[in-house]
Each structure stands twice: as C-alpha cells, then as structure tokens.
Amino acid sequence: MSSPATTITFFFFFFTLSSSFYISSSLQTNNNNKHTSTVNSLNIPSAVTEITLVNPKLPPRSLSLTSSKKFEGSSNLVHLRYHMGPVLSSSPINIYVIWYGQWSRPHKSLIRDFLNSISDAKAPSPSVSEWWRTASLYTDQTGSNVSRSVLIAGEYSDSKYSHGQHLTRLTIQEVIASAARSASFPVDHKNGMYLVLTSHDVTMQDFCRAVCGFHYFTFPSMVGYTMPYAWVGQSGKQCPEVCAYPFALPGYMGHGGPGELRPPNGETGVDGMVSVIGHELAEVVSNPLINAWYAGEDPTAPTEIGDLCEGLYGSGGGGGYIGQVMRDREGKTFNMNGKGGRKFLVQWIWNPNLKACSGPNSVD
C-alpha cells in the first residue's frame, strides 16, 4: 500500500496460498476448528491467568508453496529485494501526527499508546516492541538498520476539516502542508515522517473500496520538501467489515460461519485502525521513498513487507486463517502487549531472515 498508482488492498493476499479475499480470512470459531492450550510457550507472566490461546486448524499441506513446515506466508516464490534507497535508520524516528477531523480523547489515547509501545521494552512478551524488531532487520546500503526507537515528536489537530470531508491522494498533501505550517513542525528530513489520521466521518479516495491506508512521500511543489508520510482512515462507521476485520465481518459471513472477534480495547474502528497503522509504519521505515525494500519489478506497484503478510496474526496463519492469537477472560482478542497494560491485535510483517511472515507471538 505505498504508491499513488497502486491499490494493493486489504482484500487480497499476495500469493496463491492466500489468494482469497482478505475479508474471508476469518478466525474459525466452531468447536471443530479451535483449541485452547497453556500459554507458557509465549512467556506470558504467570500472574496473567485468564488468557487462552485460540488457533484455527492449519490449512491443508497441499496448499503450501514451499517445503517449509511454517505456513505463515513462507514461499520460495517471494523475491523481496533491496533497490538501493534509504531506510529510516536515524534514531529516533520522529512521527508527526496530524489528527484530521473530530477525534475523542480516548481514541487519541489508544493510538498514542500503540505508537509509544513500539519503543517500550518493558511491556511483557509478546510485545509491540518485539514485533518492531522485525522491521529493524531491514538495512540500507551502508548496513544501517531501521531504528528501534520511535517517538511522537509532534501533533496537530485539524478539527475544522480545513480541506473538507472528502480527501484525495493529492489533497492529503495539502493537509500535511497546512498542518506543518500551523504547528511549525521542523523540516525533519533525516528522522521524520508524517502520520495523517482521518476521523470516521472523513472519506478518502479509494477508502473502503480499495485501500484502508497508504504511504508515499510529500512533493516539494505542494509541501515545500520531500518527507515520507502515511495515511490511515477510521473505518468504524464506513466499512469496519473491510478495514477493521476481523473485529467486524461482512454480512455474507454472519450466519453459520465464523464469528467476529472482540477488539482488545473495545473499539472496533480504532482497534482495527491500529493494525493498519502498524502495517503502514513498517512499510514507511523500510521503503520511505519507494526505492528501498519491496517485491516486484514495478516501483509504481510495489509489494512491501506489510502487504506480504496481509491478514496473518499468528502461527498457523495463511490460506484463510489469521493464525493463533490470545483471548482474555473477557473474550477480547489480541496478539501483542503494549505500554501501560494495553493489548493490541497487529498483523505480522515479512522477516527477511526467515523469508516468511513473523511476529512475537509465534509458537513455531
């Protein structure tokens, strides 16, 4: 989900093993397709006693594209290559958050907690900071790794919809330009990126139909300089069954099929948004100017480290299964711990060493 010409979506997996619609990749909740087990293998503190692991059955071995016993996106057909561009290796990575539209304090707090969890090594395993270690495996041509340190360096709230309630891939740059001037954000070429978050009542070109988020870089002609940015929309009232899956399901899956999962923080739209933010951040830092790490030969339609693992959240994922995740005593589903006791469900990303999707809650 990176270039303006591309509409790599939350609907499709990249390769044949996972070629079904993303919104059909639901957690099976019938009795034949789940089991519970102890949590010792994930090193969850013993004080956490009311957590179980839920795992749909593995996809048939005949669907595998490789001899690997791991099903989580591993494939000999995936050729992720480095194209000699920069990665965000300077510490810390400074995120300048632009809140566009009407945002409540609890929703802002939830997203801030996720961003602050990236660098929080104190959270119990499996944690968001452990998940980010996979992103930090990517290097530039000097051998410098993506930074493990991420900081919210500035925020700006555009609660008056200064550019209207319908945005396009072009007008999002106008939103950034206006916010940067109003907030006096520094021109942070070395460390910085913008994160534009639109509220539930803001529509975006291709939102829900083709994308849930995207990233690119600013144009000097519009913003005055080049810096990477990501945009993610709040889908709670527009298309939760698409962009907040698996916390909401499309109608055709609602009867007799798998049930939707309970979001870890009780916010379907924003909890779903967190995973999209994670997806886009991982791609920004590893491919900020669309000339670093991606698969495929066309830079206008790159397949990046988040795209390769779309819809995978745990071991055994792939072929229509999200994989093994955790469920607390209230029935809320998550796969990572964060700052201040927060829990999140965040998709895995491509590991260049394993040549497969990976995450901190892996048990294989």
Side-chain angles (χ1 to χ4, degrees), residues 126-162:
S127 68
V128 175
S129 64
E130 291 171 339
W131 167 81
W132 190 255
R133 289 178 191 172
T134 300
S136 72
L137 294 174
Y138 290 88
T139 63
D140 62 16
Q141 57 186 306
T142 70
S144 298
N145 292 76
V146 166
S147 174
R148 289 192 181 184
S149 178
V150 175
L151 175 70
I152 300 176
E155 299 184 46
Y156 178 74
S157 293
D158 188 343
S159 59
K160 295 184 178 180
Y161 310 89
S162 64

Short mmCIF file of all heavy atoms in Angstrom, two decimals, residues 126-162:
data_model
loop_
_atom_site.label_atom_id
_atom_site.label_comp_id
_atom_site.label_asym_id
_atom_site.label_seq_id
_atom_site.Cartn_x
_atom_site.Cartn_y
_atom_site.Cartn_z
N PRO A 126 4.38 -11.54 24.48
CA PRO A 126 4.81 -10.94 23.22
C PRO A 126 4.41 -9.47 23.17
O PRO A 126 3.28 -9.12 23.51
CB PRO A 126 4.07 -11.77 22.17
CG PRO A 126 2.81 -12.21 22.87
CD PRO A 126 3.20 -12.43 24.30
N SER A 127 5.30 -8.63 22.74
CA SER A 127 5.07 -7.19 22.82
C SER A 127 5.18 -6.51 21.46
O SER A 127 5.71 -7.06 20.50
CB SER A 127 6.08 -6.56 23.78
OG SER A 127 7.39 -6.64 23.24
N VAL A 128 4.67 -5.27 21.42
CA VAL A 128 4.76 -4.46 20.21
C VAL A 128 6.23 -4.18 19.88
O VAL A 128 6.63 -4.20 18.71
CB VAL A 128 3.98 -3.15 20.37
CG1 VAL A 128 4.16 -2.25 19.14
CG2 VAL A 128 2.50 -3.43 20.59
N SER A 129 7.04 -3.91 20.90
CA SER A 129 8.45 -3.63 20.63
C SER A 129 9.17 -4.84 20.05
O SER A 129 10.06 -4.69 19.21
CB SER A 129 9.15 -3.17 21.91
OG SER A 129 9.18 -4.18 22.89
N GLU A 130 8.77 -6.05 20.45
CA GLU A 130 9.34 -7.26 19.84
C GLU A 130 8.89 -7.39 18.39
O GLU A 130 9.66 -7.84 17.53
CB GLU A 130 8.94 -8.48 20.66
CG GLU A 130 9.57 -8.55 22.03
CD GLU A 130 8.98 -9.65 22.89
OE1 GLU A 130 7.85 -10.10 22.61
OE2 GLU A 130 9.64 -10.05 23.86
N TRP A 131 7.65 -7.03 18.13
CA TRP A 131 7.15 -7.04 16.75
C TRP A 131 7.97 -6.10 15.88
O TRP A 131 8.33 -6.43 14.74
CB TRP A 131 5.68 -6.63 16.76
CG TRP A 131 5.08 -6.30 15.43
CD1 TRP A 131 4.62 -7.17 14.49
CD2 TRP A 131 4.85 -4.98 14.89
NE1 TRP A 131 4.13 -6.48 13.40
CE2 TRP A 131 4.26 -5.15 13.63
CE3 TRP A 131 5.09 -3.69 15.36
CZ2 TRP A 131 3.90 -4.06 12.82
CZ3 TRP A 131 4.74 -2.62 14.56
CH2 TRP A 131 4.15 -2.81 13.31
N TRP A 132 8.33 -4.93 16.42
CA TRP A 132 9.09 -3.94 15.65
C TRP A 132 10.51 -4.41 15.34
O TRP A 132 11.14 -3.92 14.40
CB TRP A 132 9.12 -2.62 16.41
CG TRP A 132 9.66 -1.48 15.62
CD1 TRP A 132 10.89 -0.89 15.74
CD2 TRP A 132 9.00 -0.77 14.55
NE1 TRP A 132 11.03 0.15 14.84
CE2 TRP A 132 9.88 0.24 14.09
CE3 TRP A 132 7.74 -0.88 13.96
CZ2 TRP A 132 9.54 1.12 13.07
CZ3 TRP A 132 7.40 -0.01 12.94
CH2 TRP A 132 8.30 0.97 12.50
N ARG A 133 11.01 -5.36 16.10
CA ARG A 133 12.36 -5.87 15.82
C ARG A 133 12.47 -6.43 14.42
O ARG A 133 13.53 -6.38 13.80
CB ARG A 133 12.74 -6.94 16.84
CG ARG A 133 13.01 -6.42 18.24
CD ARG A 133 13.34 -7.56 19.18
NE ARG A 133 13.34 -7.12 20.56
CZ ARG A 133 13.46 -7.94 21.60
NH1 ARG A 133 13.59 -9.25 21.39
NH2 ARG A 133 13.44 -7.46 22.83
N THR A 134 11.37 -6.99 13.91
CA THR A 134 11.40 -7.49 12.53
C THR A 134 11.61 -6.35 11.56
O THR A 134 12.39 -6.45 10.61
CB THR A 134 10.11 -8.26 12.21
OG1 THR A 134 9.98 -9.37 13.11
CG2 THR A 134 10.13 -8.78 10.78
N ALA A 135 10.92 -5.23 11.77
CA ALA A 135 11.12 -4.06 10.90
C ALA A 135 12.56 -3.58 10.99
O ALA A 135 13.14 -3.12 9.98
CB ALA A 135 10.16 -2.95 11.30
N SER A 136 13.17 -3.70 12.16
CA SER A 136 14.54 -3.19 12.34
C SER A 136 15.59 -4.08 11.69
O SER A 136 16.78 -3.73 11.67
CB SER A 136 14.85 -3.03 13.84
OG SER A 136 15.01 -4.27 14.47
N LEU A 137 15.19 -5.22 11.14
CA LEU A 137 16.13 -6.09 10.43
C LEU A 137 16.51 -5.52 9.07
O LEU A 137 17.53 -5.92 8.48
CB LEU A 137 15.54 -7.48 10.24
CG LEU A 137 15.29 -8.31 11.51
CD1 LEU A 137 14.57 -9.60 11.16
CD2 LEU A 137 16.59 -8.60 12.24
N TYR A 138 15.73 -4.58 8.56
CA TYR A 138 15.98 -4.04 7.23
C TYR A 138 17.06 -2.96 7.29
O TYR A 138 17.08 -2.13 8.20
CB TYR A 138 14.68 -3.49 6.63
CG TYR A 138 13.73 -4.61 6.29
CD1 TYR A 138 12.83 -5.10 7.24
CD2 TYR A 138 13.77 -5.24 5.05
CE1 TYR A 138 11.98 -6.15 6.95
CE2 TYR A 138 12.93 -6.29 4.75
CZ TYR A 138 12.04 -6.75 5.70
OH TYR A 138 11.22 -7.81 5.43
N THR A 139 17.96 -3.01 6.31
CA THR A 139 19.12 -2.10 6.29
C THR A 139 19.19 -1.32 5.00
O THR A 139 18.56 -1.68 4.00
CB THR A 139 20.42 -2.90 6.46
OG1 THR A 139 20.57 -3.80 5.34
CG2 THR A 139 20.43 -3.71 7.75
N ASP A 140 20.00 -0.27 5.02
CA ASP A 140 20.29 0.46 3.79
C ASP A 140 21.63 -0.02 3.22
O ASP A 140 22.23 -0.97 3.72
CB ASP A 140 20.28 1.98 4.04
CG ASP A 140 21.35 2.42 5.02
OD1 ASP A 140 22.30 1.65 5.30
OD2 ASP A 140 21.25 3.56 5.52
N GLN A 141 22.12 0.66 2.21
CA GLN A 141 23.34 0.20 1.53
C GLN A 141 24.60 0.38 2.38
O GLN A 141 25.64 -0.20 2.08
CB GLN A 141 23.51 0.91 0.19
CG GLN A 141 23.54 2.41 0.26
CD GLN A 141 23.56 3.02 -1.13
OE1 GLN A 141 24.41 2.70 -1.95
NE2 GLN A 141 22.61 3.89 -1.42
N THR A 142 24.49 1.14 3.48
CA THR A 142 25.63 1.28 4.39
C THR A 142 25.61 0.24 5.49
O THR A 142 26.52 0.18 6.32
CB THR A 142 25.65 2.67 5.05
OG1 THR A 142 24.57 2.78 5.97
CG2 THR A 142 25.54 3.77 3.99
N GLY A 143 24.54 -0.58 5.53
CA GLY A 143 24.39 -1.58 6.58
C GLY A 143 23.68 -1.07 7.82
O GLY A 143 23.57 -1.79 8.81
N SER A 144 23.18 0.16 7.78
CA SER A 144 22.46 0.73 8.92
C SER A 144 21.04 0.18 8.97
O SER A 144 20.33 0.19 7.97
CB SER A 144 22.43 2.26 8.81
OG SER A 144 23.73 2.80 8.84
N ASN A 145 20.65 -0.27 10.15
CA ASN A 145 19.32 -0.85 10.33
C ASN A 145 18.26 0.21 10.58
O ASN A 145 18.55 1.30 11.09
CB ASN A 145 19.32 -1.82 11.52
CG ASN A 145 20.14 -3.05 11.28
OD1 ASN A 145 21.36 -3.03 11.33
ND2 ASN A 145 19.47 -4.17 11.02
N VAL A 146 17.01 -0.14 10.25
CA VAL A 146 15.87 0.67 10.67
C VAL A 146 15.95 0.84 12.19
O VAL A 146 16.22 -0.10 12.92
CB VAL A 146 14.55 -0.01 10.27
CG1 VAL A 146 13.37 0.64 11.00
CG2 VAL A 146 14.35 0.07 8.76
N SER A 147 15.71 2.05 12.65
CA SER A 147 15.82 2.35 14.07
C SER A 147 14.76 1.63 14.89
O SER A 147 13.61 1.48 14.45
CB SER A 147 15.70 3.85 14.30
OG SER A 147 15.66 4.16 15.68
N ARG A 148 15.15 1.18 16.08
CA ARG A 148 14.19 0.58 17.01
C ARG A 148 13.49 1.62 17.86
O ARG A 148 12.56 1.29 18.60
CB ARG A 148 14.90 -0.43 17.92
CG ARG A 148 15.35 -1.69 17.23
CD ARG A 148 15.78 -2.73 18.25
NE ARG A 148 16.23 -3.95 17.62
CZ ARG A 148 16.59 -5.04 18.28
NH1 ARG A 148 16.54 -5.05 19.61
NH2 ARG A 148 17.00 -6.11 17.64
N SER A 149 13.93 2.85 17.76
CA SER A 149 13.39 3.92 18.59
C SER A 149 12.41 4.77 17.79
O SER A 149 12.77 5.30 16.74
CB SER A 149 14.53 4.80 19.13
OG SER A 149 14.02 5.86 19.90
N VAL A 150 11.18 4.88 18.28
CA VAL A 150 10.14 5.64 17.61
C VAL A 150 9.54 6.63 18.61
O VAL A 150 9.23 6.27 19.73
CB VAL A 150 9.04 4.71 17.06
CG1 VAL A 150 7.89 5.52 16.45
CG2 VAL A 150 9.62 3.76 16.00
N LEU A 151 9.39 7.87 18.19
CA LEU A 151 8.94 8.93 19.09
C LEU A 151 7.83 9.74 18.42
O LEU A 151 7.92 10.07 17.24
CB LEU A 151 10.12 9.84 19.42
CG LEU A 151 9.85 11.10 20.25
CD1 LEU A 151 9.50 10.71 21.69
CD2 LEU A 151 11.06 12.03 20.22
N ILE A 152 6.79 10.06 19.19
CA ILE A 152 5.81 11.04 18.73
C ILE A 152 6.44 12.40 18.96
O ILE A 152 6.53 12.90 20.09
CB ILE A 152 4.48 10.92 19.48
CG1 ILE A 152 3.86 9.54 19.27
CG2 ILE A 152 3.51 12.01 19.01
CD1 ILE A 152 2.58 9.32 20.07
N ALA A 153 6.92 13.02 17.89
CA ALA A 153 7.68 14.26 18.01
C ALA A 153 6.81 15.51 17.96
O ALA A 153 7.25 16.59 18.32
CB ALA A 153 8.73 14.32 16.90
N GLY A 154 5.57 15.35 17.48
CA GLY A 154 4.68 16.49 17.40
C GLY A 154 3.29 16.05 16.99
O GLY A 154 3.11 14.97 16.40
N GLU A 155 2.30 16.87 17.33
CA GLU A 155 0.91 16.57 16.97
C GLU A 155 0.20 17.86 16.57
O GLU A 155 0.53 18.94 17.06
CB GLU A 155 0.15 15.94 18.16
CG GLU A 155 0.71 14.63 18.64
CD GLU A 155 -0.13 14.02 19.76
OE1 GLU A 155 -1.37 13.99 19.62
OE2 GLU A 155 0.45 13.59 20.77
N TYR A 156 -0.76 17.70 15.68
CA TYR A 156 -1.59 18.83 15.28
C TYR A 156 -3.00 18.33 15.01
O TYR A 156 -3.19 17.31 14.35
CB TYR A 156 -1.04 19.50 14.02
CG TYR A 156 -1.90 20.65 13.54
CD1 TYR A 156 -1.91 21.87 14.23
CD2 TYR A 156 -2.72 20.52 12.43
CE1 TYR A 156 -2.72 22.92 13.80
CE2 TYR A 156 -3.52 21.56 11.99
CZ TYR A 156 -3.52 22.76 12.69
OH TYR A 156 -4.32 23.80 12.27
N SER A 157 -3.98 19.06 15.54
CA SER A 157 -5.39 18.69 15.35
C SER A 157 -6.06 19.67 14.39
O SER A 157 -6.13 20.88 14.67
CB SER A 157 -6.13 18.68 16.69
OG SER A 157 -5.64 17.66 17.53
N ASP A 158 -6.54 19.13 13.29
CA ASP A 158 -7.30 19.92 12.31
C ASP A 158 -8.77 19.52 12.47
O ASP A 158 -9.32 18.77 11.66
CB ASP A 158 -6.79 19.65 10.90
CG ASP A 158 -7.40 20.57 9.86
OD1 ASP A 158 -8.44 21.20 10.15
OD2 ASP A 158 -6.85 20.66 8.76
N SER A 159 -9.38 20.02 13.53
CA SER A 159 -10.75 19.60 13.87
C SER A 159 -11.81 20.31 13.04
O SER A 159 -12.99 19.97 13.12
CB SER A 159 -11.01 19.84 15.35
OG SER A 159 -10.84 21.21 15.67
N LYS A 160 -11.40 21.30 12.24
CA LYS A 160 -12.36 22.06 11.44
C LYS A 160 -12.38 21.61 9.99
O LYS A 160 -12.99 22.29 9.15
CB LYS A 160 -12.05 23.55 11.54
CG LYS A 160 -12.23 24.12 12.95
CD LYS A 160 -12.01 25.62 12.99
CE LYS A 160 -12.24 26.17 14.39
NZ LYS A 160 -12.03 27.65 14.45
N TYR A 161 -11.75 20.48 9.70
CA TYR A 161 -11.77 19.93 8.34
C TYR A 161 -11.36 20.99 7.33
O TYR A 161 -12.09 21.31 6.39
CB TYR A 161 -13.16 19.41 7.99
CG TYR A 161 -13.79 18.48 8.99
CD1 TYR A 161 -14.58 18.98 10.04
CD2 TYR A 161 -13.63 17.10 8.90
CE1 TYR A 161 -15.17 18.12 10.96
CE2 TYR A 161 -14.22 16.24 9.82
CZ TYR A 161 -14.99 16.76 10.85
OH TYR A 161 -15.56 15.92 11.75
N SER A 162 -10.16 21.54 7.49
CA SER A 162 -9.74 22.69 6.69
C SER A 162 -9.73 22.41 5.19
O SER A 162 -9.79 23.34 4.39
CB SER A 162 -8.35 23.15 7.13
OG SER A 162 -7.37 22.15 6.88
#
